[in-house]
């Protein structure tokens, strides 16, 4: 994959001059992904990386920009481990049309807030993919559907029927 997600960037395996160019131009860097991942527990970080790898693998086939898919995937759970009293959530107001937000989906709305306010994400499609990655919504866009499915089907997921869903 072009944007391999590893602890050691793959471009360090290439010639020194090539690696310097890649680093200088930020060719494989997803802005603030390191900050987003730092907000997660280690097992959640591993999940986010697996989601990013799956999203990257499917993005080109779906004609979704790979960098956009990876950014949404890496940031999708940035608020998963945040307490509601976290300074990152100061000013966050959950959507009122949901009434009381279930604990299982609160982080998707909070995550879009954190991504926009603290991680500098301005891409509306990426923010929307983060915002609805757990619950989904009617008339989802392509990147929203990709992140929803990548989150559900990444290789670390193990629930009844996951293999059949992956095959589809």
């Amino acid at each position: 994959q072009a944007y391999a997600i590893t602890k050691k960037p793959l471009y360090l395996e290439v010639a020194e001059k090539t690696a310097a160019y890649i680093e200088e131009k930020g060719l494989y860097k997803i802005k603030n992904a390191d900050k987003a991942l730092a907000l997660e527990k280690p097992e959640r970080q591993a999940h986010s990386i697996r989601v990013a790898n799956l999203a990257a693998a499917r993005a080109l086939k779906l004609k979704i920009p790979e960098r956009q898919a990876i950014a949404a995937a890496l940031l999708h759970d940035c608020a998963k481990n945040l307490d509601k009293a976290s300074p990152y959530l100061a000013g966050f107001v959950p959507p009122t049309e949901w009434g009381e937000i279930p604990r299982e989906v609160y982080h998707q709305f909070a995550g879009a807030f954190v991504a926009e306010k603290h991680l500098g994400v301005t891409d509306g499609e990426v923010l929307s993919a983060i915002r609805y990655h757990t619950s989904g919504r009617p008339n989802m866009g392509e990147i929203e559907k990709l992140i929803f499915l990548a989150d559900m089907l990444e290789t670390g997921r193990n629930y009844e029927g996951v293999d059949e869903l992956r095959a589809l």
Side-chain angles (χ1 to χ4, degrees), residues 112 123-133 137 141 143-144:
D123 183 324
E125 290 181 286
V126 169
L127 291 170
S128 191
I130 295 168
R131 187 172 291 113
Y132 297 108
H133 78 270
R137 69 180 182 102
I143 191 168
E144 291 173 301

Side-chain angles (χ1 to χ4, degrees), residues 42-91:
E43 61 274 4
R44 183 58 44 183
Q45 291 173 358
H47 161 74
S48 292
I49 290 168
R50 289 189 303 267
V51 173
N53 282 328
L54 181 54
R58 301 290 188 267
L60 295 177
K61 182 183 264 186
L62 298 170
K63 296 183 174 47
I64 295 170
E66 190 176 25
R67 183 179 290 268
Q68 188 182 39
I70 293 170
L74 286 175
L75 276 58
H76 83 282
D77 273 348
C78 66
K80 181 79 170 183
N81 301 125
L82 294 179
D83 184 87
K84 289 182 180 180
S86 168
Y88 283 99
L89 297 177

